[in-house]
Amino acid sequence: MSKQEVESQVAQDGTANAPEMQSLMQKMVEQGVYTITPKIDTMKISYPLLTSVFPEKSESEIKYFLDKLVANKMLIPKLLDKIIVCPTCKSSSVYSKYNCPRCSSFDIGKASIIEHVRCGYTGSKERFVREDSLVCPKCKGVVSEVDYRTIGTSFECNSCRSRFEAPRMSHKCYSCEDVFTYREARYEPVLEYSLTEETKRTLAKGSVPLASVAKILRDSGFDVSLRADLIGKSGAVHTFDICARRGTQLIVANFTFEPKEEDIIGLFAKKYDIDPTITLLIALTPASKEQEAVSKAYGVKILSSGSFDSIGEEIVQLAQK
Ligand SMILES: [Zn+2]
Ligand SMILES: [Zn+2]
Ligand SMILES: [Zn+2]
């Protein structure tokens, strides 16, 4: 099989075949970001990673795309929050207000309710206030600290003067100025998406990282084979994602999403049998301290970086040492 044939077969491999998913993965690899995070601004919930990949897609097309990827088990949604959205224009730029349950006025306030002990009149403390003393609105008597007791706090309407325990809540849209209650409001989930294990495997084994690293190696004079089989001292056949030869140097590399210990040890077994100059495990996410230690012990170098261009260059630099 020629290099081109191998590469095209890689491209057709699994779910990465979907061209849109391929573009998304390309972007993820370029940026080293593998979570699709929502951004809530004054107008809407958006996904900047997706709008950068598909600038022509509308908000609802992006939502449809994400739903499809979730249905196909490529992404896992995680509920971060729920927000109130205008039922008329779908803006998330909404504020809440308290209203009088009787006349619907928004001009209501919290009131401390007191009772004038002598005449039994109860009302909001505000209505007793006359300059710097308290005067009972009913009997007109001056009320001192000991003449009243506090009943509690409640809300009071400045329009119809009614008192109530709890106000009615309404929402107003900053964009279209529609006013609506919780009954009419849309209550939308804010979701973050991460890759399923299956997608991580597909991504690590897909053509995106392979092609971007292979190009840089070829530009530096390496003869590169993708998904190459090499025969070891034992006679066993070992497959590497990348095999790069230049002169007497042989660099072998496998891709993985996270540099797990089992990947490091698996690669060590191949390295032992093949004896390459450099053995690399290229990870899409950074290695932990433990993983670094394991890789040192086994003589397998872990490369992980935000961008795959820099990984290609790192390999070239390693080969020069
Ligand atoms: Zn009174
Ligand atoms: Zn009222
Ligand atoms: Zn609106």
Side-chain angles (χ1 to χ4, degrees):
M1 223 189 285
S2 77
K3 268 178 231 159
Q4 284 71 24
E5 278 171 331
V6 174
E7 274 173 356
S8 80
Q9 199 195 352
V10 170
Q12 282 160 22
D13 207 24
T15 46
N17 189 29
E20 288 186 328
M21 190 59 185
Q22 189 82 7
S23 312
L24 177 57
M25 285 183 168
Q26 176 95 45
K27 194 72 173 184
M28 288 180 150
V29 164
E30 276 170 21
Q31 299 194 345
V33 172
Y34 300 99
T35 306
I36 302 170
T37 312
K39 177 173 166 247
I40 307 169
D41 61 23
T42 52
M43 290 301 291
K44 59 190 184 302
I45 308 166
S46 63
Y47 293 92
L49 182 69
L50 288 179
T51 33
S52 72
V53 183
F54 311 112
E56 74 292 348
K57 269 194 202 296
S58 72
E59 213 180 301
S60 57
E61 283 168 335
I62 281 178
K63 185 83 190 80
Y64 176 77
F65 176 64
L66 286 168
D67 288 346
K68 206 173 63 180
L69 295 182
V70 170
N72 292 340
K73 299 195 163 51
M74 291 183 203
L75 296 180
I76 308 167
K78 181 182 161 199
L79 184 65
L80 293 185
D81 204 352
K82 282 202 158 190
I83 56 164
I84 299 162
V85 172
C86 171
T88 309
C89 74
K90 295 184 186 170
S91 163
S92 60
S93 178
V94 164
Y95 61 98
S96 302
K97 300 200 297 181
Y98 295 149
N99 300 91
C100 169
R102 205 167 113 199
C103 75
S104 293
S105 168
F106 61 84
D107 186 13
I108 65 171
K110 269 189 195 166
S112 169
I113 306 303
I114 59 171
E115 181 187 17
H116 186 203
V117 179
R118 198 166 47 149
C119 77
Y121 175 83
T122 54
S124 68
K125 197 173 177 182
E126 213 175 74
R127 277 201 248 165
F128 283 72
V129 177
R130 289 281 174 282
E131 284 161 8
D132 51 3
S133 60
L134 296 176
V135 175
C136 175
K138 191 184 168 201
C139 69
K140 312 293 178 200
V142 174
V143 181
S144 72
E145 288 287 328
V146 294
D147 292 336
Y148 72 86
R149 60 191 185 99
T150 305
I151 310 262
T153 51
S154 74
F155 284 87
E156 192 171 48
C157 176
N158 294 325
S159 295
C160 73
R161 288 286 160 201
S162 64
R163 277 208 302 272
F164 40 92
E165 281 294 307
R168 221 179 50 198
M169 180 127 62
S170 69
H171 310 291
K172 186 167 178 176
C173 173
Y174 273 111
S175 297
C176 73
E177 300 203 330
D178 193 14
V179 176
F180 50 94
T181 68
Y182 68 92
R183 284 181 208 277
E184 294 109 37
R186 291 164 65 110
Y187 197 45
E188 303 252 307
V190 180
L191 299 167
E192 180 181 78
Y193 299 86
S194 54
L195 304 180
T196 57
E197 288 304 314
E198 173 77 33
T199 312
K200 286 179 187 174
R201 274 195 293 276
T202 307
L203 181 57
K205 294 291 167 198
S207 62
V208 172
L210 277 180
S212 31
V213 175
K215 189 188 172 298
I216 290 168
L217 291 176
R218 285 187 186 132
D219 289 348
S220 298
F222 281 94
D223 183 18
V224 180
S225 313
L226 302 180
R227 296 286 151 74
D229 288 336
L230 297 184
I231 300 165
K233 290 175 281 188
S234 70
V237 177
H238 304 286
T239 307
F240 295 96
D241 291 328
I242 289 189
C243 249
R245 283 178 201 276
R246 193 174 64 181
T248 54
Q249 278 187 317
L250 170 63
I251 299 174
V252 293
N254 271 358
F255 281 91
T256 186
F257 192 81
E258 292 143 327
K260 290 189 186 137
E261 193 173 327
E262 66 212 59
D263 296 322
I264 299 166
I265 294 168
L267 192 51
F268 166 74
K270 294 182 185 186
K271 166 195 140 108
Y272 187 77
D273 204 21
I274 299 284
D275 203 19
T277 328
I278 301 171
T279 308
L280 299 171
L281 184 61
I282 303 178
L284 299 174
T285 54
S288 67
K289 279 208 176 87
E290 292 76 25
Q291 289 162 340
E292 284 288 356
V294 173
S295 79
K296 274 220 176 75
Y298 285 95
V300 170
K301 177 130 186 77
I302 299 177
L303 283 187
S304 57
S305 167
S307 96
F308 268 79
D309 284 357
S310 64
I311 282 201
E313 276 145 24
E314 266 188 75
I315 298 174
V316 173
Q317 276 169 15
L318 278 175
Q320 274 157 359
K321 276 180 193 167

Short mmCIF file of all heavy atoms in Angstrom, two decimals, residues 246-274:
data_model
loop_
_atom_site.label_atom_id
_atom_site.label_comp_id
_atom_site.label_asym_id
_atom_site.label_seq_id
_atom_site.Cartn_x
_atom_site.Cartn_y
_atom_site.Cartn_z
N ARG A 246 15.58 8.72 8.49
CA ARG A 246 16.47 9.68 7.82
C ARG A 246 17.87 9.18 8.11
O ARG A 246 18.28 9.13 9.27
CB ARG A 246 16.26 11.10 8.37
CG ARG A 246 16.94 12.17 7.50
CD ARG A 246 16.60 13.57 7.96
NE ARG A 246 17.11 13.83 9.29
CZ ARG A 246 16.94 14.99 9.95
NH1 ARG A 246 16.24 15.96 9.41
NH2 ARG A 246 17.43 15.15 11.16
N GLY A 247 18.57 8.76 7.06
CA GLY A 247 19.89 8.16 7.25
C GLY A 247 19.79 6.92 8.11
O GLY A 247 18.98 6.03 7.85
N THR A 248 20.55 6.91 9.20
CA THR A 248 20.55 5.73 10.07
C THR A 248 19.49 5.87 11.19
O THR A 248 19.35 4.98 12.01
CB THR A 248 21.93 5.55 10.73
OG1 THR A 248 22.26 6.80 11.39
CG2 THR A 248 23.00 5.22 9.70
N GLN A 249 18.83 7.00 11.20
CA GLN A 249 17.85 7.24 12.27
C GLN A 249 16.51 6.60 11.96
O GLN A 249 16.02 6.67 10.83
CB GLN A 249 17.63 8.74 12.43
CG GLN A 249 18.69 9.42 13.27
CD GLN A 249 18.32 10.86 13.53
OE1 GLN A 249 17.86 11.55 12.63
NE2 GLN A 249 18.52 11.30 14.75
N LEU A 250 15.93 6.03 12.99
CA LEU A 250 14.57 5.52 12.87
C LEU A 250 13.75 6.06 14.05
O LEU A 250 14.09 5.83 15.21
CB LEU A 250 14.55 3.98 12.90
CG LEU A 250 13.15 3.34 13.04
CD1 LEU A 250 12.27 3.67 11.83
CD2 LEU A 250 13.27 1.83 13.20
N ILE A 251 12.74 6.83 13.71
CA ILE A 251 11.86 7.36 14.77
C ILE A 251 10.52 6.66 14.64
O ILE A 251 9.94 6.60 13.54
CB ILE A 251 11.67 8.88 14.61
CG1 ILE A 251 13.02 9.59 14.73
CG2 ILE A 251 10.69 9.42 15.65
CD1 ILE A 251 12.96 11.09 14.45
N VAL A 252 10.04 6.10 15.74
CA VAL A 252 8.70 5.50 15.71
C VAL A 252 7.82 6.26 16.70
O VAL A 252 8.29 6.71 17.74
CB VAL A 252 8.72 3.99 16.06
CG1 VAL A 252 9.43 3.20 14.97
CG2 VAL A 252 9.33 3.74 17.42
N ALA A 253 6.55 6.41 16.33
CA ALA A 253 5.64 7.15 17.21
C ALA A 253 4.24 6.55 17.16
O ALA A 253 3.79 6.11 16.10
CB ALA A 253 5.58 8.62 16.78
N ASN A 254 3.61 6.52 18.30
CA ASN A 254 2.20 6.15 18.36
C ASN A 254 1.42 7.32 18.96
O ASN A 254 1.95 8.09 19.77
CB ASN A 254 2.00 4.91 19.24
CG ASN A 254 2.12 3.64 18.44
OD1 ASN A 254 2.31 3.68 17.21
ND2 ASN A 254 2.01 2.52 19.11
N PHE A 255 0.18 7.41 18.54
CA PHE A 255 -0.69 8.46 19.06
C PHE A 255 -1.60 7.91 20.13
O PHE A 255 -2.03 6.76 20.08
CB PHE A 255 -1.57 9.03 17.94
CG PHE A 255 -0.84 9.99 17.07
CD1 PHE A 255 -0.18 9.55 15.93
CD2 PHE A 255 -0.79 11.33 17.40
CE1 PHE A 255 0.51 10.44 15.14
CE2 PHE A 255 -0.11 12.23 16.60
CZ PHE A 255 0.54 11.78 15.47
N THR A 256 -1.94 8.78 21.07
CA THR A 256 -2.92 8.42 22.08
C THR A 256 -3.59 9.70 22.53
O THR A 256 -3.06 10.79 22.31
CB THR A 256 -2.25 7.69 23.27
OG1 THR A 256 -3.25 7.25 24.16
CG2 THR A 256 -1.29 8.60 24.02
N PHE A 257 -4.75 9.59 23.15
CA PHE A 257 -5.41 10.81 23.64
C PHE A 257 -4.75 11.26 24.93
O PHE A 257 -4.17 12.32 25.01
CB PHE A 257 -6.92 10.58 23.82
CG PHE A 257 -7.66 11.86 24.04
CD1 PHE A 257 -8.01 12.65 22.94
CD2 PHE A 257 -7.98 12.32 25.30
CE1 PHE A 257 -8.67 13.86 23.12
CE2 PHE A 257 -8.64 13.52 25.49
CZ PHE A 257 -8.98 14.29 24.39
N GLU A 258 -4.82 10.38 25.94
CA GLU A 258 -4.11 10.66 27.19
C GLU A 258 -2.97 9.65 27.28
O GLU A 258 -3.17 8.49 26.95
CB GLU A 258 -5.04 10.47 28.40
CG GLU A 258 -6.13 11.51 28.46
CD GLU A 258 -7.47 10.95 28.95
OE1 GLU A 258 -7.78 9.78 28.67
OE2 GLU A 258 -8.19 11.71 29.59
N PRO A 259 -1.78 10.08 27.71
CA PRO A 259 -0.65 9.14 27.75
C PRO A 259 -0.75 8.17 28.93
O PRO A 259 -0.08 8.32 29.93
CB PRO A 259 0.57 10.06 27.87
CG PRO A 259 0.05 11.31 28.49
CD PRO A 259 -1.40 11.43 28.14
N LYS A 260 -1.63 7.19 28.80
CA LYS A 260 -1.85 6.24 29.90
C LYS A 260 -0.68 5.28 30.02
O LYS A 260 0.01 5.00 29.04
CB LYS A 260 -3.13 5.45 29.63
CG LYS A 260 -4.38 6.29 29.77
CD LYS A 260 -5.62 5.43 29.70
CE LYS A 260 -6.86 6.28 29.68
NZ LYS A 260 -7.85 5.82 28.72
N GLU A 261 -0.51 4.78 31.24
CA GLU A 261 0.61 3.88 31.53
C GLU A 261 0.60 2.67 30.59
O GLU A 261 1.65 2.24 30.11
CB GLU A 261 0.51 3.43 33.00
CG GLU A 261 1.77 2.76 33.47
CD GLU A 261 1.77 2.47 34.97
OE1 GLU A 261 1.16 3.25 35.73
OE2 GLU A 261 2.38 1.46 35.36
N GLU A 262 -0.62 2.14 30.32
CA GLU A 262 -0.68 0.96 29.45
C GLU A 262 -0.18 1.27 28.02
O GLU A 262 0.42 0.42 27.38
CB GLU A 262 -2.11 0.40 29.42
CG GLU A 262 -3.12 1.35 28.77
CD GLU A 262 -4.51 1.25 29.38
OE1 GLU A 262 -4.67 1.47 30.60
OE2 GLU A 262 -5.45 0.97 28.61
N ASP A 263 -0.42 2.49 27.57
CA ASP A 263 0.09 2.89 26.25
C ASP A 263 1.62 2.95 26.26
O ASP A 263 2.28 2.55 25.30
CB ASP A 263 -0.43 4.29 25.86
CG ASP A 263 -1.94 4.31 25.68
OD1 ASP A 263 -2.48 3.32 25.15
OD2 ASP A 263 -2.57 5.31 26.08
N ILE A 264 2.16 3.49 27.36
CA ILE A 264 3.62 3.64 27.48
C ILE A 264 4.27 2.25 27.49
O ILE A 264 5.23 1.99 26.76
CB ILE A 264 3.99 4.42 28.77
CG1 ILE A 264 3.38 5.83 28.73
CG2 ILE A 264 5.50 4.49 28.96
CD1 ILE A 264 3.37 6.57 30.05
N ILE A 265 3.70 1.35 28.29
CA ILE A 265 4.28 0.01 28.40
C ILE A 265 4.12 -0.77 27.09
O ILE A 265 5.05 -1.47 26.66
CB ILE A 265 3.66 -0.74 29.61
CG1 ILE A 265 4.09 -0.02 30.91
CG2 ILE A 265 4.11 -2.20 29.65
CD1 ILE A 265 3.35 -0.44 32.15
N GLY A 266 2.96 -0.60 26.45
CA GLY A 266 2.74 -1.26 25.16
C GLY A 266 3.76 -0.81 24.12
O GLY A 266 4.28 -1.62 23.35
N LEU A 267 4.07 0.47 24.15
CA LEU A 267 5.04 1.01 23.21
C LEU A 267 6.45 0.56 23.57
O LEU A 267 7.27 0.29 22.69
CB LEU A 267 4.93 2.55 23.21
CG LEU A 267 5.64 3.31 22.10
CD1 LEU A 267 5.29 2.77 20.73
CD2 LEU A 267 5.29 4.79 22.18
N PHE A 268 6.72 0.43 24.86
CA PHE A 268 8.03 -0.05 25.31
C PHE A 268 8.31 -1.45 24.77
O PHE A 268 9.41 -1.74 24.30
CB PHE A 268 8.09 -0.05 26.85
CG PHE A 268 9.25 -0.82 27.38
CD1 PHE A 268 10.54 -0.29 27.30
CD2 PHE A 268 9.08 -2.08 27.94
CE1 PHE A 268 11.63 -1.01 27.77
CE2 PHE A 268 10.17 -2.80 28.41
CZ PHE A 268 11.45 -2.28 28.33
N ALA A 269 7.29 -2.32 24.80
CA ALA A 269 7.45 -3.70 24.31
C ALA A 269 7.85 -3.69 22.84
O ALA A 269 8.74 -4.43 22.42
CB ALA A 269 6.16 -4.49 24.52
N LYS A 270 7.21 -2.82 22.06
CA LYS A 270 7.55 -2.73 20.62
C LYS A 270 8.96 -2.18 20.45
O LYS A 270 9.74 -2.67 19.64
CB LYS A 270 6.56 -1.79 19.91
CG LYS A 270 5.14 -2.27 19.87
CD LYS A 270 4.32 -1.25 19.09
CE LYS A 270 2.84 -1.58 19.07
NZ LYS A 270 2.12 -0.65 18.19
N LYS A 271 9.28 -1.16 21.22
CA LYS A 271 10.59 -0.51 21.15
C LYS A 271 11.70 -1.53 21.42
O LYS A 271 12.71 -1.58 20.73
CB LYS A 271 10.63 0.62 22.20
CG LYS A 271 12.01 1.21 22.53
CD LYS A 271 11.92 2.02 23.81
CE LYS A 271 13.14 1.82 24.68
NZ LYS A 271 14.03 2.94 24.74
N TYR A 272 11.48 -2.36 22.44
CA TYR A 272 12.46 -3.37 22.84
C TYR A 272 12.78 -4.31 21.69
O TYR A 272 13.90 -4.68 21.45
CB TYR A 272 11.91 -4.14 24.04
CG TYR A 272 12.90 -5.08 24.65
CD1 TYR A 272 13.91 -4.60 25.48
CD2 TYR A 272 12.82 -6.44 24.40
CE1 TYR A 272 14.84 -5.45 26.03
CE2 TYR A 272 13.75 -7.32 24.95
CZ TYR A 272 14.76 -6.82 25.77
OH TYR A 272 15.67 -7.67 26.30
N ASP A 273 11.74 -4.64 20.91
CA ASP A 273 11.89 -5.61 19.83
C ASP A 273 12.45 -4.97 18.55
O ASP A 273 13.11 -5.61 17.77
CB ASP A 273 10.50 -6.24 19.56
CG ASP A 273 10.63 -7.61 18.90
OD1 ASP A 273 11.71 -8.23 19.01
OD2 ASP A 273 9.67 -8.06 18.26
N ILE A 274 12.16 -3.70 18.35
CA ILE A 274 12.53 -3.02 17.10
C ILE A 274 13.85 -2.27 17.23
O ILE A 274 14.61 -2.18 16.27
CB ILE A 274 11.40 -2.02 16.69
CG1 ILE A 274 10.07 -2.74 16.47
CG2 ILE A 274 11.79 -1.18 15.47
CD1 ILE A 274 9.94 -3.50 15.18
#
